[in-house]
Coordinates of all heavy atoms in Angstrom, one line a residue:
M233 N 40.6 17.0 7.6 CA 40.0 16.6 6.3 C 38.7 17.2 6.1 O 37.9 17.5 7.1 CB 39.8 15.1 6.3 CG 41.0 14.2 6.1 SD 40.6 12.5 6.0 CE 41.4 12.1 4.5
N234 N 38.4 17.4 4.9 CA 37.1 18.0 4.5 C 36.0 17.0 4.7 O 36.1 15.8 4.6 CB 37.2 18.4 3.0 CG 36.0 19.2 2.5 OD1 34.9 19.1 3.0 ND2 36.3 20.0 1.6
R235 N 34.8 17.5 5.0 CA 33.6 16.6 5.3 C 33.3 15.8 4.1 O 32.9 14.7 4.2 CB 32.5 17.5 5.8 CG 31.2 16.7 6.1 CD 30.1 17.6 6.6 NE 29.8 17.1 7.9 CZ 29.0 17.7 8.7 NH1 28.4 18.8 8.4 NH2 28.8 17.1 9.9
S236 N 33.4 16.4 2.9 CA 33.0 15.7 1.7 C 34.0 14.6 1.4 O 33.6 13.5 0.9 CB 32.9 16.6 0.5 OG 34.2 17.2 0.2
V237 N 35.3 14.7 1.7 CA 36.3 13.7 1.5 C 36.0 12.5 2.5 O 36.1 11.4 2.1 CB 37.7 14.2 1.8 CG1 38.7 13.1 1.8 CG2 38.1 15.3 0.7
I238 N 35.6 12.8 3.7 CA 35.3 11.8 4.7 C 34.1 11.0 4.2 O 34.0 9.8 4.3 CB 35.1 12.4 6.1 CG1 36.5 12.9 6.6 CG2 34.5 11.4 7.0 CD1 36.4 13.7 7.9
S239 N 33.1 11.8 3.7 CA 31.9 11.1 3.2 C 32.2 10.2 2.0 O 31.7 9.1 1.9 CB 30.8 12.2 2.7 OG 30.5 12.9 3.8
L240 N 33.1 10.7 1.1 CA 33.5 9.9 0.0 C 34.2 8.6 0.4 O 33.9 7.5 -0.1 CB 34.4 10.7 -1.0 CG 34.9 9.9 -2.2 CD1 33.8 9.5 -3.1 CD2 35.9 10.8 -2.9
L241 N 35.1 8.7 1.4 CA 35.8 7.5 1.9 C 34.8 6.6 2.5 O 35.0 5.3 2.4 CB 36.9 8.0 2.8 CG 38.1 8.7 2.2 CD1 39.0 9.2 3.3 CD2 38.8 7.8 1.2
L242 N 33.9 7.1 3.2 CA 32.9 6.2 3.9 C 32.0 5.5 2.9 O 31.8 4.2 3.0 CB 32.0 7.0 4.8 CG 30.9 6.2 5.6 CD1 31.6 5.2 6.5 CD2 30.1 7.2 6.4
V243 N 31.6 6.2 1.8 CA 30.8 5.5 0.7 C 31.7 4.4 0.0 O 31.2 3.4 -0.2 CB 30.3 6.6 -0.3 CG1 29.8 5.9 -1.5 CG2 29.3 7.4 0.4
L244 N 33.0 4.7 -0.2 CA 33.8 3.7 -0.8 C 34.0 2.5 0.0 O 34.0 1.4 -0.4 CB 35.2 4.4 -1.2 CG 35.2 5.3 -2.3 CD1 36.6 6.0 -2.4 CD2 34.9 4.6 -3.6
L245 N 34.2 2.7 1.3 CA 34.3 1.6 2.3 C 33.1 0.8 2.3 O 33.2 -0.5 2.3 CB 34.6 2.2 3.7 CG 34.8 1.1 4.8 CD1 36.0 0.3 4.5 CD2 34.9 1.8 6.1
V246 N 31.9 1.4 2.4 CA 30.7 0.6 2.4 C 30.5 -0.1 1.0 O 30.1 -1.3 1.0 CB 29.5 1.5 2.6 CG1 28.1 0.8 2.4 CG2 29.5 2.1 4.1
G247 N 30.9 0.5 -0.1 CA 30.8 -0.1 -1.4 C 31.7 -1.4 -1.5 O 31.3 -2.4 -2.0
V248 N 32.9 -1.2 -1.0 CA 33.9 -2.4 -1.0 C 33.4 -3.5 -0.1 O 33.4 -4.7 -0.5 CB 35.3 -1.9 -0.6 CG1 36.2 -3.1 -0.3 CG2 35.9 -1.0 -1.7
A249 N 32.8 -3.1 1.0 CA 32.3 -4.2 1.9 C 31.1 -4.9 1.3 O 31.0 -6.1 1.4 CB 31.9 -3.5 3.3
A250 N 30.2 -4.1 0.6 CA 29.1 -4.7 0.0 C 29.5 -5.7 -1.1 O 29.0 -6.8 -1.2 CB 28.1 -3.6 -0.5
V251 N 30.4 -5.2 -2.0 CA 30.9 -6.1 -3.1 C 31.6 -7.3 -2.5 O 31.5 -8.4 -3.0 CB 31.8 -5.3 -4.0 CG1 32.5 -6.2 -5.0 CG2 31.0 -4.2 -4.8
G252 N 32.4 -7.1 -1.4 CA 33.1 -8.2 -0.8 C 32.2 -9.3 -0.3 O 32.5 -10.4 -0.4
F253 N 31.1 -8.9 0.4 CA 30.2 -9.9 0.9 C 29.5 -10.6 -0.2 O 29.3 -11.8 -0.2 CB 29.2 -9.3 1.9 CG 29.8 -9.1 3.3 CD1 30.1 -7.8 3.8 CD2 30.0 -10.2 4.1 CE1 30.7 -7.7 5.0 CE2 30.5 -10.0 5.4 CZ 30.9 -8.8 5.8
Y254 N 29.1 -9.8 -1.3 CA 28.4 -10.4 -2.4 C 29.3 -11.4 -3.1 O 28.8 -12.4 -3.5 CB 28.0 -9.2 -3.3 CG 27.3 -9.7 -4.6 CD1 26.0 -10.2 -4.5 CD2 28.0 -9.7 -5.8 CE1 25.3 -10.7 -5.7 CE2 27.3 -10.2 -7.0 CZ 26.0 -10.7 -6.9 OH 25.4 -11.1 -8.0
R255 N 30.6 -11.0 -3.4 CA 31.5 -11.9 -4.1 C 32.1 -13.0 -3.3 O 32.8 -13.9 -3.8 CB 32.6 -11.0 -4.7 CG 32.2 -10.0 -5.7 CD 31.7 -10.6 -7.0 NE 32.8 -11.5 -7.5 CZ 32.5 -12.4 -8.4 NH1 31.3 -12.6 -8.8 NH2 33.5 -13.2 -8.9
G256 N 31.8 -13.0 -2.0 CA 32.3 -14.1 -1.1 C 33.7 -13.8 -0.6 O 34.3 -14.8 -0.1
W257 N 34.2 -12.6 -0.6 CA 35.5 -12.3 -0.1 C 35.5 -12.3 1.5 O 36.4 -12.6 2.1 CB 36.0 -10.9 -0.5 CG 36.1 -10.7 -2.0 CD1 36.2 -11.7 -3.0 CD2 36.2 -9.5 -2.7 NE1 36.3 -11.2 -4.2 CE2 36.3 -9.8 -4.1 CE3 36.1 -8.2 -2.3 CZ2 36.3 -8.8 -5.1 CZ3 36.2 -7.2 -3.3 CH2 36.3 -7.5 -4.6
F258 N 34.3 -11.9 2.0 CA 34.1 -11.8 3.5 C 32.9 -12.6 3.9 O 31.9 -12.6 3.2 CB 33.9 -10.3 3.9 CG 34.8 -9.3 3.3 CD1 34.3 -8.3 2.6 CD2 36.2 -9.4 3.5 CE1 35.2 -7.3 2.0 CE2 37.0 -8.4 3.0 CZ 36.5 -7.4 2.3
T259 N 33.0 -13.3 5.0 CA 31.9 -14.0 5.6 C 31.9 -13.7 7.1 O 32.9 -13.6 7.7 CB 31.9 -15.5 5.3 OG1 33.2 -16.0 5.8 CG2 31.8 -15.8 3.8
L260 N 30.7 -13.7 7.6 CA 30.5 -13.5 9.1 C 29.8 -14.8 9.6 O 29.0 -15.4 8.9 CB 29.5 -12.3 9.4 CG 30.1 -10.9 9.3 CD1 29.0 -9.9 9.5 CD2 31.2 -10.7 10.3
S261 N 30.3 -15.2 10.7 CA 29.7 -16.4 11.4 C 29.7 -16.1 12.9 O 30.4 -15.3 13.4 CB 30.5 -17.6 11.1 OG 31.8 -17.5 11.6
S262 N 28.8 -16.7 13.6 CA 28.6 -16.6 15.0 C 28.3 -17.9 15.7 O 27.7 -18.8 15.1 CB 27.6 -15.5 15.4 OG 26.3 -15.9 14.9
H263 N 28.7 -18.0 16.9 CA 28.3 -19.1 17.7 C 28.4 -18.8 19.2 O 29.1 -17.9 19.6 CB 29.1 -20.4 17.4 CG 30.5 -20.3 17.9 ND1 31.5 -19.6 17.2 CD2 31.1 -20.8 19.0 CE1 32.6 -19.7 17.8 NE2 32.4 -20.4 18.9
R264 N 27.6 -19.5 20.0 CA 27.7 -19.3 21.5 C 28.7 -20.4 22.0 O 28.5 -21.6 21.8 CB 26.3 -19.5 22.1 CG 25.4 -18.4 21.8 CD 24.1 -18.6 22.5 NE 23.2 -17.6 22.1 CZ 22.6 -16.7 23.0 NH1 22.9 -16.8 24.2 NH2 21.8 -15.8 22.5
P265 N 29.7 -20.0 22.8 CA 30.6 -20.9 23.4 C 29.9 -21.9 24.4 O 30.2 -23.1 24.4 CB 31.7 -20.1 24.0 CG 31.1 -18.7 24.1 CD 30.0 -18.6 23.1
D266 N 29.0 -21.4 25.2 CA 28.3 -22.2 26.1 C 26.8 -21.9 25.9 O 26.4 -20.8 25.7 CB 28.7 -21.8 27.6 CG 30.1 -22.1 27.9 OD1 30.7 -23.1 27.4 OD2 30.8 -21.2 28.6
A267 N 26.0 -23.0 26.1 CA 24.6 -22.9 25.9 C 23.9 -21.9 26.9 O 23.0 -21.2 26.6 CB 23.9 -24.2 25.9
G268 N 24.5 -21.9 28.1 CA 23.9 -21.0 29.1 C 24.4 -19.6 29.2 O 24.0 -18.8 29.9
S269 N 25.4 -19.4 28.3 CA 26.1 -18.1 28.3 C 25.4 -17.1 27.5 O 24.7 -17.4 26.5 CB 27.5 -18.2 27.9 OG 28.1 -17.0 27.7
N270 N 25.5 -15.8 27.8 CA 24.9 -14.7 27.0 C 26.0 -14.2 26.0 O 25.7 -13.3 25.2 CB 24.4 -13.6 27.8 CG 23.1 -13.9 28.5 OD1 22.3 -14.8 28.0 ND2 22.9 -13.3 29.6
N271 N 27.2 -14.8 26.0 CA 28.2 -14.3 25.1 C 28.0 -15.0 23.8 O 27.7 -16.1 23.6 CB 29.6 -14.7 25.7 CG 29.9 -14.0 27.0 OD1 29.4 -12.9 27.2 ND2 30.7 -14.6 27.8
V272 N 28.3 -14.2 22.7 CA 28.3 -14.7 21.3 C 29.6 -14.3 20.7 O 30.0 -13.1 20.7 CB 27.1 -14.0 20.6 CG1 27.1 -14.5 19.1 CG2 25.8 -14.4 21.2
N273 N 30.3 -15.3 20.1 CA 31.5 -15.0 19.3 C 31.1 -14.8 17.9 O 30.4 -15.6 17.3 CB 32.4 -16.2 19.4 CG 33.0 -16.4 20.8 OD1 33.1 -15.5 21.6 ND2 33.4 -17.6 21.1
I274 N 31.6 -13.6 17.3 CA 31.3 -13.3 15.9 C 32.7 -13.3 15.2 O 33.6 -12.7 15.7 CB 30.7 -11.9 15.8 CG1 29.3 -11.9 16.5 CG2 30.5 -11.5 14.4 CD1 28.6 -10.6 16.6
N275 N 32.7 -14.0 14.1 CA 34.0 -14.2 13.4 C 33.8 -13.6 12.0 O 32.8 -13.8 11.3 CB 34.4 -15.6 13.2 CG 34.7 -16.3 14.6 OD1 35.3 -15.7 15.4 ND2 34.1 -17.5 14.8
L276 N 34.8 -12.8 11.5 CA 34.9 -12.3 10.2 C 36.0 -13.1 9.5 O 37.1 -13.0 9.9 CB 35.2 -10.8 10.2 CG 35.5 -10.2 8.8 CD1 34.2 -10.2 8.0 CD2 36.0 -8.8 8.9
T277 N 35.6 -13.7 8.4 CA 36.6 -14.5 7.6 C 36.9 -13.8 6.3 O 35.9 -13.4 5.6 CB 36.1 -15.9 7.4 OG1 35.8 -16.5 8.6 CG2 37.1 -16.8 6.7
V278 N 38.1 -13.6 6.0 CA 38.5 -13.0 4.7 C 39.1 -14.1 3.8 O 40.1 -14.7 4.2 CB 39.6 -11.9 4.9 CG1 40.0 -11.3 3.6 CG2 39.0 -10.8 5.8
D279 N 38.6 -14.3 2.6 CA 39.0 -15.3 1.7 C 40.0 -14.6 0.7 O 39.6 -14.1 -0.4 CB 37.9 -15.9 1.0 CG 38.3 -17.1 0.1 OD1 39.5 -17.3 -0.1 OD2 37.4 -17.9 -0.3
R280 N 41.3 -14.6 1.0 CA 42.2 -13.9 0.1 C 42.4 -14.6 -1.2 O 42.6 -13.9 -2.2 CB 43.6 -13.8 0.8 CG 43.6 -12.9 2.0 CD 45.0 -12.8 2.6 NE 45.0 -11.9 3.8 CZ 46.0 -11.7 4.5 NH1 47.2 -12.3 4.2 NH2 45.9 -10.9 5.6
D281 N 42.2 -15.9 -1.2 CA 42.4 -16.6 -2.5 C 41.2 -16.2 -3.5 O 41.5 -16.0 -4.7 CB 42.3 -18.1 -2.3 CG 43.5 -18.6 -1.6 OD1 44.6 -18.0 -1.7 OD2 43.4 -19.7 -0.9
K282 N 40.0 -16.0 -3.0 CA 38.9 -15.6 -3.8 C 39.1 -14.2 -4.3 O 38.9 -13.8 -5.5 CB 37.6 -15.7 -3.0 CG 36.4 -15.2 -3.7 CD 36.0 -16.0 -4.9 CE 34.7 -15.6 -5.5 NZ 34.6 -15.9 -6.9
M283 N 39.7 -13.3 -3.4 CA 40.0 -11.9 -3.8 C 41.0 -11.9 -5.0 O 40.9 -11.2 -5.9 CB 40.5 -11.1 -2.7 CG 39.4 -10.9 -1.6 SD 40.1 -10.1 -0.1 CE 40.2 -8.4 -0.6
Q284 N 42.0 -12.8 -4.8 CA 43.1 -12.8 -5.8 C 42.5 -13.4 -7.2 O 42.9 -12.9 -8.2 CB 44.2 -13.7 -5.3 CG 45.4 -13.8 -6.3 CD 46.2 -12.5 -6.4 OE1 46.2 -11.7 -5.5 NE2 46.7 -12.2 -7.6
E285 N 41.7 -14.4 -7.1 CA 41.1 -15.0 -8.3 C 40.3 -13.9 -9.0 O 40.3 -13.8 -10.3 CB 40.1 -16.1 -8.0 CG 40.8 -17.4 -7.5 CD 39.9 -18.4 -7.1 OE1 38.6 -18.3 -7.3 OE2 40.3 -19.4 -6.4
D286 N 39.5 -13.1 -8.3 CA 38.6 -12.1 -8.9 C 39.5 -11.0 -9.5 O 39.2 -10.5 -10.6 CB 37.6 -11.5 -7.9 CG 36.5 -12.5 -7.6 OD1 36.4 -13.5 -8.3 OD2 35.8 -12.2 -6.6
A287 N 40.6 -10.6 -8.8 CA 41.5 -9.6 -9.3 C 42.1 -10.0 -10.6 O 42.3 -9.3 -11.6 CB 42.6 -9.2 -8.3
E288 N 42.6 -11.3 -10.7 CA 43.2 -11.8 -11.9 C 42.1 -11.9 -13.0 O 42.5 -11.6 -14.2 CB 43.8 -13.2 -11.6 CG 45.0 -13.2 -10.8 CD 45.5 -14.5 -10.3 OE1 44.9 -15.5 -10.7 OE2 46.5 -14.6 -9.6
A289 N 40.9 -12.3 -12.7 CA 39.9 -12.3 -13.8 C 39.6 -10.9 -14.3 O 39.4 -10.8 -15.5 CB 38.6 -12.9 -13.2
V290 N 39.6 -9.9 -13.5 CA 39.4 -8.5 -13.9 C 40.5 -8.1 -14.8 O 40.3 -7.5 -15.8 CB 39.2 -7.6 -12.7 CG1 39.3 -6.1 -13.1 CG2 37.9 -7.8 -12.0
Q291 N 41.7 -8.5 -14.4 CA 42.9 -8.1 -15.2 C 42.9 -8.7 -16.6 O 43.2 -8.1 -17.6 CB 44.2 -8.5 -14.4 CG 45.5 -8.0 -15.1 CD 46.7 -8.4 -14.3 OE1 46.6 -9.2 -13.4 NE2 47.8 -7.8 -14.7
V292 N 42.5 -10.0 -16.6 CA 42.4 -10.7 -17.9 C 41.4 -10.0 -18.8 O 41.6 -9.8 -20.0 CB 42.1 -12.2 -17.7 CG1 41.7 -12.9 -19.0 CG2 43.3 -12.9 -17.1
K293 N 40.2 -9.7 -18.2 CA 39.1 -9.1 -19.0 C 39.5 -7.7 -19.5 O 39.2 -7.4 -20.6 CB 37.9 -9.0 -18.1 CG 36.6 -8.6 -18.9 CD 36.2 -9.6 -19.9 CE 34.9 -9.2 -20.5 NZ 34.5 -10.1 -21.6
A294 N 40.2 -6.9 -18.6 CA 40.6 -5.6 -19.0 C 41.6 -5.7 -20.2 O 41.6 -4.9 -21.1 CB 41.2 -4.9 -17.8
T295 N 42.5 -6.7 -20.1 CA 43.5 -6.8 -21.2 C 42.9 -7.2 -22.5 O 43.2 -6.7 -23.5 CB 44.6 -7.9 -20.8 OG1 45.2 -7.6 -19.5 CG2 45.6 -8.1 -21.8
E296 N 41.8 -8.1 -22.4 CA 41.1 -8.5 -23.6 C 40.4 -7.3 -24.2 O 40.4 -7.1 -25.4 CB 40.1 -9.6 -23.3 CG 40.7 -10.9 -23.0 CD 39.6 -11.9 -22.6 OE1 38.4 -11.5 -22.5 OE2 40.0 -13.0 -22.2
L297 N 39.7 -6.5 -23.4 CA 39.0 -5.3 -23.9 C 40.0 -4.3 -24.5 O 39.7 -3.7 -25.5 CB 38.2 -4.7 -22.8 CG 37.0 -5.5 -22.3 CD1 36.3 -4.9 -21.1 CD2 36.0 -5.7 -23.4
A298 N 41.1 -4.1 -23.8 CA 42.1 -3.1 -24.3 C 42.6 -3.6 -25.7 O 42.9 -2.8 -26.6 CB 43.3 -3.0 -23.3
G299 N 42.8 -4.9 -25.8 CA 43.3 -5.5 -27.1 C 42.3 -5.2 -28.2 O 42.6 -4.9 -29.4
K300 N 41.0 -5.4 -27.9 CA 39.9 -5.2 -28.9 C 39.9 -3.7 -29.3 O 39.7 -3.4 -30.5 CB 38.6 -5.6 -28.3 CG 38.4 -7.1 -28.2 CD 37.0 -7.4 -27.7 CE 36.9 -8.9 -27.5 NZ 35.6 -9.3 -26.9
V301 N 40.0 -2.8 -28.4 CA 40.0 -1.4 -28.7 C 41.2 -1.0 -29.5 O 41.1 -0.3 -30.5 CB 40.0 -0.5 -27.4 CG1 40.3 0.9 -27.7 CG2 38.7 -0.7 -26.6
T302 N 42.4 -1.6 -29.2 CA 43.6 -1.3 -30.0 C 43.4 -1.8 -31.4 O 43.8 -1.2 -32.4 CB 44.8 -2.0 -29.3 OG1 44.9 -1.5 -28.0 CG2 46.1 -1.7 -30.1
E303 N 42.8 -3.0 -31.6 CA 42.6 -3.6 -32.9 C 41.6 -2.7 -33.7 O 41.8 -2.6 -35.0 CB 42.1 -5.0 -32.8 CG 43.1 -6.0 -32.3 CD 42.4 -7.3 -32.0 OE1 41.2 -7.5 -32.3 OE2 43.1 -8.2 -31.6
Q304 N 40.6 -2.2 -33.1 CA 39.6 -1.4 -33.8 C 40.0 0.0 -34.1 O 39.5 0.7 -34.9 CB 38.3 -1.4 -33.0 CG 37.7 -2.8 -32.9 CD 36.5 -2.8 -32.0 OE1 36.1 -1.8 -31.4 NE2 35.8 -3.9 -32.0
A305 N 41.0 0.5 -33.4 CA 41.5 1.9 -33.5 C 42.2 2.1 -34.9 O 43.0 1.2 -35.3 CB 42.4 2.3 -32.4
P306 N 41.9 3.2 -35.6 CA 42.6 3.4 -36.8 C 44.1 3.7 -36.6 O 44.5 4.2 -35.5 CB 41.9 4.6 -37.4 CG 41.3 5.3 -36.3 CD 41.0 4.2 -35.3
E307 N 45.0 3.3 -37.5 CA 46.4 3.6 -37.4 C 46.6 5.1 -37.5 O 45.8 5.8 -38.1 CB 47.2 2.9 -38.4 CG 47.1 1.4 -38.3 CD 48.2 0.6 -39.0 OE1 49.2 1.3 -39.3 OE2 48.0 -0.6 -39.2
S308 N 47.7 5.6 -36.8 CA 47.9 7.0 -36.8 C 48.1 7.5 -38.2 O 48.7 6.9 -39.1 CB 49.1 7.4 -35.9 OG 50.3 7.1 -36.6
G309 N 47.5 8.7 -38.5 CA 47.7 9.3 -39.8 C 46.4 9.0 -40.7 O 46.2 9.7 -41.7
E310 N 45.7 8.0 -40.4 CA 44.5 7.7 -41.2 C 43.3 8.4 -40.6 O 43.2 8.6 -39.4 CB 44.2 6.2 -41.1 CG 45.2 5.3 -41.8 CD 44.8 3.8 -41.7 OE1 43.6 3.6 -41.4 OE2 45.6 3.0 -42.0
P311 N 42.4 9.0 -41.4 CA 41.2 9.7 -40.9 C 40.3 8.6 -40.2 O 40.2 7.5 -40.7 CB 40.6 10.3 -42.1 CG 41.1 9.5 -43.3 CD 42.5 9.0 -42.9
P312 N 39.6 9.0 -39.2 CA 38.7 8.1 -38.5 C 37.5 7.7 -39.5 O 37.1 8.5 -40.3 CB 38.1 8.9 -37.3 CG 38.5 10.3 -37.6 CD 39.6 10.3 -38.6
N313 N 37.0 6.5 -39.3 CA 35.9 6.0 -40.1 C 34.6 6.6 -39.6 O 34.3 6.4 -38.4 CB 35.9 4.5 -40.1 CG 34.9 3.9 -41.0 OD1 34.2 4.6 -41.7 ND2 34.8 2.6 -41.0
T314 N 33.9 7.4 -40.3 CA 32.7 8.1 -39.8 C 31.4 7.5 -40.3 O 30.4 8.1 -40.3 CB 32.8 9.6 -40.3 OG1 32.9 9.7 -41.7 CG2 33.9 10.3 -39.6
K315 N 31.5 6.3 -40.8 CA 30.3 5.6 -41.3 C 29.4 5.1 -40.2 O 29.8 4.8 -39.1 CB 30.7 4.4 -42.2 CG 31.2 4.9 -43.5 CD 31.5 3.7 -44.3 CE 32.2 4.2 -45.6 NZ 32.6 3.1 -46.5

């Protein structure tokens, strides 16, 4: 793979992770199993329901915007309104 392709994939991955944490799709938590232990358990939780809700909301919004554009577009054969 080309270095620029790998860089682009890395940027996309970091972007998705940032949006995911911001939107609440991913959460990190940690705890020590024993008070005297140096071990720390770190858990990554993925909220698939929240991801699905956000995807559906985006789909609804895109459909609404597409409908508005279609309504505002002139019918074929008519010259565009240049006012």
Side-chain angles (χ1 to χ4, degrees):
M233 285 184 128
N234 188 332
R235 180 177 241 172
S236 61
V237 172
I238 293 172
S239 298
L240 177 64
L241 291 175
L242 183 61
V243 167
L244 287 173
L245 179 66
V246 169
V248 168
V251 169
F253 280 106
Y254 177 76
R255 296 292 304 160
W257 301 341
F258 313 120
T259 55
L260 283 176
S261 61
S262 64
H263 71 281
R264 290 182 183 241
D266 298 321
S269 174
N270 287 332
N271 295 333
V272 177
N273 291 336
I274 299 175
N275 298 316
L276 173 67
T277 305
V278 178
D279 189 347
R280 291 183 181 178
D281 292 333
K282 177 67 174 153
M283 292 172 79
Q284 184 66 31
E285 289 174 13
D286 287 349
E288 290 171 0
V290 167
Q291 186 177 12
V292 167
K293 187 66 173 178
T295 302
E296 289 174 1
L297 291 174
K300 287 180 183 178
V301 169
T302 303
E303 291 172 1
Q304 293 175 354
E307 296 200 18
S308 77
E310 293 182 16
N313 189 359
T314 57
K315 291 182 183 178

